[in-house]
Amino acid sequence: MKLVFYNGVNEIGGNKILLEDKNTAVFLDFGKSYKEHTKYFEEFVNPRSVHGLKDYLELDLLPPQISLYREDLLEMYQKEEPKKFQKLNQQKQNIDAVLVSHGHFDHVGYLSFLKETIPVFATKETKDVLETYAVIKPSSLENEILYINFPHSLPAPQRKKKKRNFHLIKNFKPFTMKNLTITPIFIDHSIPGATMYLIQGSKNYLYSGDFRLSEIPLSYLNSIYDFLKKQRIDYFLCEGTRITENIVLSEKDVLEKAIHIAQNVSGLIVADYSLADITRFKTLNQVALLTKRRLALPFNYFAYLAYLKDKKIDVGDFSNVVLYEKKKGNLKKWERELLKKYPYINSQEIRNNQSKYLVILNFYQIQELIDFEPNKDSYFLRAITEPHSEESEISEERFANWIKHFKMQGLTEEGKFERVHISGHISGKELEEFISKIKPDVVIPIHTEHPEEFKKLHKNVKIVEKGETITL
């Protein structure tokens, strides 16, 4: 029995954790580590996809067990780096499955490199999200999650599409993977379809994925506690993104603050939020309704919600939502289809009727403010998390410069954004409650920059390092 932590420890995200027990090997997520990625790359400096695996293996962004990876990518690597290939090929690692906790790219972003035959288990909602991403996100090697374009060495038009081996899971419905019994426990996060996994082999392991308690109905939360109390949790692999924070807020707090702000704005309201976060969309839509505004969404935000709505995912009231037709040189096929199917407005309509709209724009769409011509009566509502890296802090400063230029409201006296946000991650205070309820024997901190803080919550904490293998 062993656990190998390729990524996901002493960092936020990038989870790639290998569990081996009873002759069965499963990966707990296979995500992109943004911490490791940004050591070498930034927005316009990226891994060279024309070389397939080469850059990723050289910079230790992927595990060195090359038997995990797609045949077409291995053939490319063998031709370009025969000596390195031969050396790495001596390390054989067979994988029986990948257990996906949710659809954020720091948990699924490197699935694209794996053999498409490896079974991948996920919720229906996660698969729906990934199908939507496959349409609205730019085509790239890292976005070949549900399908691969094969072989990668050929020009894109000559490649054939292959399906990845996805399996859908159901809440509290155990399934077997060789000699392990695995039970999904659906949980709440800032994206649809998040789940924990209870994995039963020689020992019992609980993998948290990413989660929070604030938006879970008490009756369902108690059912989770009741189920886990009946199990012996030997090892709890537990996320701790916000372990140092003890303030417990809910989306209701976000709604109340946003309404208070919006009711005092006579001009245009512009907001941003994480595209995947349907809970936040519902909040902002409610703000728009209560202040008698229409909610205008650019192509990518609108498509994400419309596609998920078509897949029977609850995205809330869509009657007040309108598509904002951002002027573009060339529209993609899916953008043209949206314009045919849904009513839309342009920048002139927003400019002439600023008090009637709440418009969503992220940093990469902020230039649209030039066409809207907001003024001192307008407000920018920042409904997204604070920056967590030097690069994102620089982007944040640029973002604020746009708001200052148009003399919009929404910045503090220090020039920082007045945020309206709660995290998709559990606070330290709630985590203490969760751990005390389920009573694991050992806690292993993951998805955190402060693993030592767990020692305040539990008497038996095992802190691990990137690349470490622990034998159980």
Side-chain angles (χ1 to χ4, degrees), residues 44-262:
F44 298 109
V45 182
N46 289 298
R48 302 167 299 168
S49 64
V50 70
H51 293 283
L53 294 165
K54 183 176 180 178
D55 294 6
Y56 296 89
L57 289 171
E58 173 65 29
L59 299 173
D60 197 27
L61 300 177
L62 286 172
Q65 282 70 23
I66 62 173
S67 56
L68 301 173
Y69 303 120
R70 291 163 37 175
E71 289 181 8
D72 58 331
L73 301 181
L74 288 179
E75 287 177 6
M76 293 171 63
Y77 188 63
Q78 185 175 16
K79 286 180 181 178
E80 291 193 22
E81 299 289 348
K83 291 182 179 178
K84 291 181 180 179
F85 176 87
Q86 186 176 9
K87 181 180 178 181
L88 291 177
N89 201 36
Q90 295 172 6
Q91 305 177 47
K92 298 293 184 181
Q93 176 67 65
N94 293 319
I95 295 299
D96 296 299
V98 180
L99 307 181
V100 168
S101 64
H102 63 283
H104 281 145
F105 271 51
D106 62 330
H107 290 256
V108 299
Y110 283 175
L111 280 176
S112 52
F113 298 103
L114 295 178
K115 287 179 181 176
E116 71 279 7
T117 54
I118 296 173
V120 177
F121 292 85
T123 63
K124 176 189 177 297
E125 290 82 1
T126 292
K127 188 168 184 283
D128 290 340
V129 166
L130 295 176
E131 285 177 347
T132 303
Y133 283 168
V135 175
I136 68 174
K137 286 186 176 288
S139 177
S140 70
L141 177 58
E142 289 187 13
N143 200 22
E144 293 183 12
I145 295 175
L146 286 177
Y147 304 91
I148 71 167
N149 294 313
F150 184 92
H152 188 70
S153 57
L154 290 180
Q158 298 178 32
R159 299 172 194 165
K160 295 183 179 179
K161 190 169 283 190
K162 283 187 177 183
K163 273 188 179 181
R164 196 170 292 282
N165 187 14
F166 260 78
H167 298 260
L168 300 185
I169 58 177
K170 294 184 178 180
N171 198 18
F172 289 116
K173 298 294 183 183
F175 62 91
T176 57
M177 172 46 60
K178 287 180 66 176
N179 300 314
L180 300 179
T181 300
I182 302 166
T183 305
I185 304 163
F186 291 7
I187 204 77
D188 183 68
H189 186 40
S190 54
I191 189 172
T195 185
M196 293 182 170
Y197 288 98
L198 175 65
I199 305 154
Q200 295 171 294
S202 302
K203 300 286 185 179
N204 289 350
Y205 315 85
L206 181 64
Y207 174 58
S208 72
D210 290 354
F211 74 114
R212 62 184 174 189
L213 304 184
S214 61
E215 307 308 303
I216 300 176
L218 183 59
S219 59
Y220 179 61
L221 181 57
N222 285 333
S223 71
I224 293 175
Y225 286 145
D226 290 343
F227 174 75
L228 291 176
K229 284 175 185 176
K230 295 174 184 175
Q231 322 299 321
R232 177 184 173 87
I233 310 297
D234 295 297
Y235 296 93
F236 182 25
L237 284 71
C238 181
E239 79 121 317
T241 310
R242 296 178 58 229
I243 191 164
T244 60
E245 300 176 32
N246 289 314
I247 297 175
V248 179
L249 298 172
S250 71
E251 194 68 21
K252 183 181 177 182
D253 297 302
V254 174
L255 176 63
E256 290 176 355
K257 185 176 180 180
I259 290 173
H260 176 73
I261 291 170

Side-chain angles (χ1 to χ4, degrees), residues 29-56:
D29 285 325
F30 207 80
K32 176 178 181 175
S33 169
Y34 288 95
K35 178 182 178 181
E36 296 298 318
H37 178 90
T38 53
K39 283 182 181 179
Y40 308 101
F41 301 112
E42 57 182 27
E43 186 178 356
F44 298 109
V45 182
N46 289 298
R48 302 167 299 168
S49 64
V50 70
H51 293 283
L53 294 165
K54 183 176 180 178
D55 294 6
Y56 296 89

Side-chain angles (χ1 to χ4, degrees), residues 308-347:
L308 293 186
K309 185 173 183 290
D310 287 344
K311 295 176 184 294
K312 309 302 181 187
I313 290 181
D314 176 21
V315 300
D317 183 5
F318 218 57
S319 62
N320 190 50
V321 179
V322 64
L323 173 63
Y324 167 56
E325 181 198 15
K326 177 184 174 183
K327 190 174 181 180
K328 302 178 73 173
N330 290 296
L331 292 176
K332 298 181 176 64
K333 180 182 176 183
W334 61 270
E335 292 170 326
R336 294 195 299 270
E337 290 173 348
L338 288 179
L339 292 176
K340 290 178 182 178
K341 187 174 181 180
Y342 297 98
Y344 57 90
I345 59 171
N346 59 24
S347 60

